[in-house]
Amino acid sequence: MHPRALRLGASVVAALVVVGGALTTSPASAAVGDDDPTVGASAANGLVVNEVESNGDDTDWVELANTSSAAIDLSGYAFLDDDSSHEAYVLPTGSTIAAGGYFVIDQLSATAPGFDFGLGGADTVRVYDPAGDLVLRYAWTAHAAVTYGRCPDGTGALVDTTASTKGAANDCSSPVRINEVESDGGTPGDWVELTNTGTTTVDLGGYVFSDSDDAHAYAIPSGTSVAPGGFTVLDEQDFGFGLGKADSARLLDPRGTLVDSYSWTAHAATTYGRNPDGTGAFAETAAPTKGAANRFAGVVTAEAWPGGPDERVLDDEDTFTGDLSGIDWTPSASASTPASAAGQLWAVQNGDGLLYHLTSDGAGGWAPTNAAGTELHYADGSGTPDAEGVTVTSDDPGAVYVSTERNNDVSGTSRPAVLRFATTDGSQTTLNATDEWNLAADFPGLGANAGLEGVTWIPDSWLTAHGFADEHTGAAYSPATYAGHGDGLFFVGVEGTASVYAYALMSDGGSQRVATIATPFSVVADVQFDPTLDALWVVCDDACSGRTALYEVTDGAFAATTVYGAPTNADRALANEGFAISGVCTEGARATFYADDNDTDGFSLRTGTYPCDSSTPGDGGTTPTPTPTPGDGGTPGHGGTTPTPTPGGGSTPAPGGTAPGGTAPGGTAPGGSAPGSGTSPSGSPVAPPEASLTQANRGSLTAPATARPGDTITVGVGTRYAGQQVLVWMFSTPTLLGTATVAADGTVTATIPADAPAGQHRIVVTAEDGTVLGWTTITIDPVTGALAFTGAEGLGVAALAAFLLLVAGAGVLVLRRRRGTPASE
């Protein structure tokens, strides 16, 4: 996701230089690139390095602040990291930073200019004035857990911040928050639960807890702490006073500064808690969860990881060079030895487009059989695919499929694609793609660094057996609809939309989206089909503190049934962009595998465990299903010689539930059957007729006035419908957004399809029998990119238009799908 050095094609650089004079070259006398370690992170004119993001999920960036009383013209200033061979990024004419303001120097993206290299774990930011003199310099030896920022803002030392605040004042506050309050009849009495939204453990010694009465003050004893994402409970028997019917809970740090507070006017029937934990607003919970994650009606809540508490390093130091992103487990051809019984792994590295094939040593270690990796290229032998995810399929045993975000040789242009490479063991030095399915047309405006992060394959036999619905046809999924697609569908996780999409990839290079699956995460880092659990894993990385979710088919659509936190002792800051799980159950556990994009401490591959029952047929067992015998190596639709294996029945993870907010994820796919007149004879929901949307039922529900494609919105239906099942639609063309159980506060959530056209639409909610409960209007805004330099005047209108035309032209070029001849094996 974050190559250490993003490369920009010379043609794009040249074009940017001439766009309306937007970029200014350095003076001939400039000494940009010269270094001087004595230069600090503040300049005499009041310009300072204020915040640094070197491990962002979208782009790396540096924020400058102006601590002076006058604006500073930054036109012609140049920016570099610690590598003087990189081309310096020169700030455009008109770049200014206001007195007391902020200015962000951002990384290049598909929608905005910026520097075309990455910031590493040990790196330096250097800023030069137009004369070429080094005026600002800041170095670090490891990525910040969040960002490096000045505390106090603008003047203090650069430290690890509590939250990223790009283009705004730094967050130097305590990350401790009041998370849940029991004020009536708790066990053994009233209590308050604290949580830590930060990335390091906080010592609570000296913090003070109080209610609304200043005379009630409890000094938390030394030695009390709260771990990142953890919970610490203060009991009435310790703080010595009760919480009233109308009262407050207040937390002050050792300096007496108010850290957090919450007030209420009546006891909760259960407890009051934040939704989501640590960051959300307080609401009445579904049940008290003292010392654990909060639970709310209609919301899937993160549970503790049920497997082992650790993620253990598997690879030798510096086995990989960083940027290991996707990983997939598959059985070995035989299980004659302990090593072969453990299966095999495929992994991809995104920055340099490498494919690795790994095997077990039978003693707990894993290593690549192709130590240097196999270089991947596009069909014509050119380019460096930004390889993010990898999977193998049963219907095409002679191939590996890789999901990509872009061509790293043209790093500013989005190219979300699935590529096929003909190999059985990765023994080739280089491989050219035999096929490419470019999905760019389905994701207009998608950032170059926001594309396909993960990919997995699910057999048609499994999908039809589980009643999977096809959003494209509006009926039960029928494989015969998509001639030449092979024997299964590819599911891809898209970073920029935080959603998963199912595709039929045809042998002629065409594709069709079959399902859209919303997720509770801010980022989708990987997806993995698990036939043992009859479920789909959806994975978030450090952006969600290492959480994962299990999705099962419910009423035709994949819905989240369980969300897990990271293993207890795992480093939540690890950029685990790849996830795989073994199908082999040994001594009650299956191995899980994690690929760390940051190569933290020189290690990229780690393993953990997930529980299983080796005595239960279909639950992994001890004998893996053999890998299909390599056949004709055909593309999807060409068959292969081995039929799709029947997935194991397995045990379904518990507890079950609905998707976040009660919404069954799905784009335009019918969510399954609903009884009564609101369904078709086949059981699929039927949209209400437009004539039923009258002024009489308009306005009886609430929704945001505007939204963007891919946004999740909250729709207010009314507390009188709490607990009832409803359907949420979007018109003009009737599109089912999902089914939902109305929460206690009278709301449901729904996700706007990523391909929703811009303009005015109507959000309609119906009962299960098709009765319209209400509707309201919503405007879908077009997907646009924002300029990267906060606090500056930015590009002029003419220059901006020219720049966007340039990007659009580049985007048109990558829409052509190319198919080459199979690579030599």
Side-chain angles (χ1 to χ4, degrees), residues 611-758:
C612 60
D613 183 357
S614 55
S615 66
T616 302
D619 195 18
T622 56
T623 304
T625 304
T627 297
T629 303
D632 61 7
T635 58
H638 292 188
T641 59
T642 304
T644 303
T646 302
S651 57
T652 302
T658 59
T663 304
T668 58
S673 63
S677 60
T679 61
S680 68
S682 65
S684 298
V686 175
E690 193 159 356
S692 65
L693 308 184
T694 66
Q695 289 300 315
N697 53 33
R698 178 179 184 177
S700 54
L701 56 83
T702 61
T706 61
R708 288 159 52 95
D711 282 356
T712 297
I713 63 172
T714 298
V715 180
V717 185
T719 55
R720 63 188 181 281
Y721 298 112
Q724 294 187 28
Q725 192 85 355
V726 298
L727 291 82
V728 184
W729 302 83
M730 187 172 80
F731 281 57
S732 300
T733 303
T735 301
L736 181 63
L737 302 186
T739 60
T741 300
V742 181
D745 63 357
T747 65
V748 296
T749 61
T751 300
I752 304 298
D755 57 357

Side-chain angles (χ1 to χ4, degrees), residues 392-407:
V392 295
T393 72
S394 295
D395 66 345
D396 189 12
V400 171
Y401 292 81
V402 175
S403 58
T404 69
E405 291 188 321
R406 60 182 177 270
N407 175 3

Side-chain angles (χ1 to χ4, degrees), residues 307-737:
D310 300 307
E311 290 178 10
R312 177 176 60 85
V313 168
L314 279 179
D315 55 328
D316 292 332
E317 190 170 1
D318 298 328
T319 298
F320 304 97
T321 58
D323 299 331
L324 198 69
S325 183
I327 192 167
D328 190 34
W329 180 91
T330 186
S332 299
S334 67
S336 58
T337 66
S340 60
Q344 55 188 331
L345 294 171
W346 291 96
V348 286
Q349 192 160 280
N350 59 55
D352 40 17
L354 294 179
L355 172 71
Y356 291 97
H357 175 259
L358 301 97
T359 56
S360 168
D361 61 10
W366 288 73
T369 61
N370 53 344
T374 300
E375 289 187 11
L376 303 180
H377 300 286
Y378 291 96
D380 60 0
S382 70
T384 306
D386 183 66
E388 299 285 355
V390 61
T391 194
V392 295
T393 72
S394 295
D395 66 345
D396 189 12
V400 171
Y401 292 81
V402 175
S403 58
T404 69
E405 291 188 321
R406 60 182 177 270
N407 175 3
N408 281 334
D409 291 353
V410 192
S411 61
T413 301
S414 177
R415 188 171 175 174
V418 176
L419 303 174
R420 177 187 183 272
F421 297 93
T423 186
T424 56
D425 58 6
S427 59
Q428 299 85 350
T429 303
T430 62
L431 282 172
N432 296 342
T434 63
D435 299 84
E436 176 179 1
W437 292 270
N438 191 317
L439 307 179
D442 276 11
F443 300 99
L446 188 67
N449 200 31
L452 309 190
E453 278 293 317
V455 62
T456 193
W457 183 84
I458 302 182
D460 285 339
S461 58
W462 187 93
L463 293 168
T464 54
H466 287 76
F468 181 58
D470 184 340
E471 75 176 38
H472 176 61
T473 63
Y477 171 60
S478 173
T481 303
Y482 305 105
H485 83 284
D487 295 331
L489 299 180
F490 288 83
F491 286 66
V492 295
V494 178
E495 178 186 356
T497 66
S499 297
V500 178
Y501 306 87
Y503 278 94
L505 302 182
M506 272 66 82
S507 57
D508 63 0
S511 63
Q512 176 59 56
R513 185 185 295 181
V514 178
T516 303
I517 306 168
T519 79
F521 300 137
S522 58
V523 169
V524 173
D526 207 353
V527 287
Q528 187 77 209
F529 175 55
D530 190 340
T532 299
L533 296 179
D534 278 331
L536 174 69
W537 289 93
V538 178
V539 179
C540 189
D541 55 15
D542 52 319
C544 308
S545 298
R547 289 187 173 185
T548 55
L550 280 171
Y551 278 71
E552 299 175 32
V553 175
T554 303
D555 293 332
F558 277 93
T561 56
T562 310
V563 177
Y564 289 128
T568 305
N569 298 334
D571 182 353
R572 296 165 184 264
L574 291 175
N576 285 337
E577 293 189 6
F579 173 83
I581 185 166
S582 169
V584 179
C585 184
T586 303
E587 297 180 351
R590 291 194 288 154
T592 54
F593 301 93
Y594 305 88
D596 175 10
D597 178 73
N598 281 342
D599 197 41
T600 304
D601 299 325
F603 303 105
S604 294
L605 189 62
R606 291 172 177 82
T607 186
T609 60
Y610 186 85
C612 60
D613 183 357
S614 55
S615 66
T616 302
D619 195 18
T622 56
T623 304
T625 304
T627 297
T629 303
D632 61 7
T635 58
H638 292 188
T641 59
T642 304
T644 303
T646 302
S651 57
T652 302
T658 59
T663 304
T668 58
S673 63
S677 60
T679 61
S680 68
S682 65
S684 298
V686 175
E690 193 159 356
S692 65
L693 308 184
T694 66
Q695 289 300 315
N697 53 33
R698 178 179 184 177
S700 54
L701 56 83
T702 61
T706 61
R708 288 159 52 95
D711 282 356
T712 297
I713 63 172
T714 298
V715 180
V717 185
T719 55
R720 63 188 181 281
Y721 298 112
Q724 294 187 28
Q725 192 85 355
V726 298
L727 291 82
V728 184
W729 302 83
M730 187 172 80
F731 281 57
S732 300
T733 303
T735 301
L736 181 63
L737 302 186

